[in-house]
Amino acid sequence: MPRWPASDGDTASSVLDVAERLVQTRGFNGFSYADVAAELQLSKAALHYHFPGKAELGEALLVRYTLRFAAALETMGSQPLDAPGKLAAYANLYLDVLRQDRMCLCGMIAAEYQTLPEAMQAIVVQFFLDNETWLGRVLEQGLTEGTIGIGGSTEDTARSIVANLEGAMLVAWPFHDIDRFQTAASATITALRPAV
Amino acid sequence: MPRWPASDGDTASSVLDVAERLVQTRGFNGFSYADVAAELQLSKAALHYHFPGKAELGEALLVRYTLRFAAALETMGSQPLDAPGKLAAYANLYLDVLRQDRMCLCGMIAAEYQTLPEAMQAIVVQFFLDNETWLGRVLEQGLTEGTIGIGGSTEDTARSIVANLEGAMLVAWPFHDIDRFQTAASATITALRPAV
DNA sequence: GTCTATAACGAGATAGAC
DNA sequence: GTCTATCTCGTTATAGAC
């Protein structure tokens, strides 16, 4: 049981770990197989064994990320929390990403959308749709509870929440300033308080 | 006076025009000198005559863009409009970019921030700061007029507006859906109506 | 100002040994 | 599963002619 390479129970997932961080910090067009190989002290050929090409690596990356994200949402959704609590928890998912000095994976590649392999394009679109669906349910719960108040439809409000959080992250990113995200995120969430 | 190449009164600005569109659609890491040269039917060497390297081209691009944007803001700011009118005009600047099937130049490169030449990094940060400063003044005008109402400070609200519009654009981008931007943008602006 | 030619390098990918 | 070696191509950039 060697201590190095760490977590060699699965090289493929180590590759995904490194690639994921590189995409979230440099973008899909901003990293190469050589970057990943160097960091894991592997050859580029070894990477090609696990993922035939960069397109497949990118796709695997996005699939894993969106599955994890969906699982986190499912867990949060079934928690005994009121709607504002769930929305705060949702915003905290984004905050945690920034705390790791990363951009939202899907926000990053949304910018690069036009240059991506088709499989990746489809996944990023679905990611946003799934987020909006989940948020829409939380908003409905809040309306039922009387814990939130919204101007428009739950669908449009859900879209606004995703857009606002992604934008807060995008702008905070060059400033390397978490407070910048926090303030904008809080404003978005508190704007959903019920009218008195 | 030849009709082709069009606007050869200044090759450099034609280069900037093409490069600008490419950055706004594919990102700074998603286009090359060869792309620009092919489109203008020039050699790559000719591009290097006008801009020594890609870093200098990117910088020139951002300088021109931010100067134009600043000029547009200055014009709008001195217009005899109330604050809500100026905010709507501001949101329309973003809308016009999407209508050309482009992302906000600075939003795009904000995502790529960590991979950019330092000169470009400095300019994108300043772009957001200038936007927030302008918006802060409009919000102050609105408070004086009684035409807007905000929860927090003018500074934080200005930051939220920039973040919300950039985010609405980023998410609308993969969907290629202008309505998606419009709805989120309207929500952001109408949320600033004064409390009755 | 623009060209051709080419250098120098990096990225994505494959072949075949171990 | 991982390696070395190699291939092909694209990208940035320069040299020097016109």
Side-chain angles (χ1 to χ4, degrees):
Chain A
M1 194 205 290
R3 292 198 317 197
W4 295 103
S7 81
D8 205 80
D10 191 350
T11 301
S13 70
S14 301
V15 172
L16 289 182
D17 290 342
V18 171
E20 184 174 278
R21 198 193 65 248
L22 288 173
V23 176
Q24 289 186 266
T25 50
R26 306 180 51 86
F28 188 71
N29 295 326
F31 85 103
S32 72
Y33 265 43
D35 296 325
V36 180
E39 198 159 330
L40 292 173
Q41 294 178 263
L42 282 173
S43 65
K44 286 184 291 173
L47 268 51
H48 280 285
Y49 169 81
H50 293 283
F51 304 96
K54 203 184 177 188
E56 288 79 12
L57 172 57
E59 192 182 343
L61 207 60
L62 276 184
V63 168
R64 191 182 74 161
Y65 186 85
T66 56
L67 285 178
R68 283 183 178 170
F69 210 97
L73 292 188
E74 175 130 0
T75 300
M76 275 168 39
S78 55
Q79 223 76 21
L81 281 170
D82 61 6
K86 287 180 182 174
L87 293 173
Y90 180 79
N92 270 326
L93 290 179
Y94 287 69
L95 180 60
D96 286 340
V97 172
L98 262 191
R99 285 206 174 108
Q100 297 171 64
D101 293 321
R102 304 187 191 196
M103 256 293 284
C104 169
L105 179 58
C106 287
M108 180 66 87
I109 69 166
E112 298 178 291
Y113 186 79
Q114 291 208 353
T115 69
L116 298 177
E118 277 184 27
M120 293 182 69
Q121 292 183 329
I123 296 170
V124 64
V125 164
Q126 196 57 49
F127 171 84
F128 289 127
L129 291 175
D130 289 346
N131 273 259
E132 289 162 5
T133 299
W134 185 87
L135 282 167
R137 282 199 218 101
V138 171
L139 292 174
E140 279 164 24
Q141 176 194 335
L143 289 177
T144 303
E145 292 170 350
T147 54
I148 65 137
I150 59 182
S153 67
T154 54
E155 289 82 0
D156 286 348
T157 306
R159 287 186 181 188
S160 285
I161 295 171
V162 171
N164 290 1
L165 293 178
E166 287 289 346
M169 214 163 171
L170 180 67
V171 178
W173 180 238
F175 287 89
H176 213 273
D177 180 354
I178 290 178
D179 282 346
R180 213 166 230 281
F181 171 81
Q182 270 286 49
T183 306
S186 297
T188 288
I189 301 301
T190 63
L192 300 171
R193 279 195 289 226
V196 282
Chain B
M1 196 204 288
R3 289 200 318 198
W4 295 105
S7 82
D8 205 82
D10 191 351
T11 300
S13 70
S14 301
V15 172
L16 289 182
D17 291 341
V18 172
E20 183 174 278
R21 198 193 67 248
L22 289 172
V23 175
Q24 288 186 267
T25 50
R26 306 181 51 88
F28 188 71
N29 295 326
F31 86 102
S32 73
Y33 264 43
D35 297 325
V36 180
E39 197 159 329
L40 293 172
Q41 294 176 263
L42 281 175
S43 65
K44 288 181 288 173
L47 269 51
H48 281 285
Y49 169 81
H50 294 283
F51 304 97
K54 202 183 177 189
E56 288 79 13
L57 172 58
E59 192 182 342
L61 207 59
L62 276 183
V63 167
R64 192 183 72 162
Y65 186 86
T66 56
L67 284 178
R68 283 183 179 169
F69 210 97
L73 292 189
E74 175 131 359
T75 300
M76 275 168 41
S78 55
Q79 223 76 20
L81 282 170
D82 62 6
K86 287 180 182 175
L87 293 173
Y90 180 78
N92 270 326
L93 290 180
Y94 287 70
L95 180 60
D96 286 339
V97 172
L98 262 190
R99 283 207 176 107
Q100 298 171 64
D101 294 321
R102 305 187 189 194
M103 257 291 286
C104 169
L105 178 59
C106 286
M108 180 66 87
I109 70 166
E112 298 178 290
Y113 187 78
Q114 291 208 352
T115 69
L116 298 178
E118 277 183 29
M120 293 182 69
Q121 292 183 328
I123 295 170
V124 63
V125 164
Q126 196 58 49
F127 172 84
F128 289 126
L129 290 175
D130 289 346
N131 274 261
E132 290 162 5
T133 298
W134 184 88
L135 283 167
R137 281 198 219 101
V138 172
L139 292 173
E140 278 163 25
Q141 174 195 335
L143 289 177
T144 303
E145 293 169 351
T147 54
I148 66 139
I150 60 182
S153 67
T154 54
E155 288 84 359
D156 286 348
T157 306
R159 288 186 180 188
S160 286
I161 295 170
V162 171
N164 290 1
L165 293 178
E166 288 289 344
M169 213 163 172
L170 180 67
V171 177
W173 181 237
F175 287 89
H176 213 274
D177 180 355
I178 289 178
D179 282 345
R180 211 165 232 280
F181 172 82
Q182 270 287 49
T183 306
S186 297
T188 288
I189 302 301
T190 63
L192 299 171
R193 280 195 290 227
V196 280

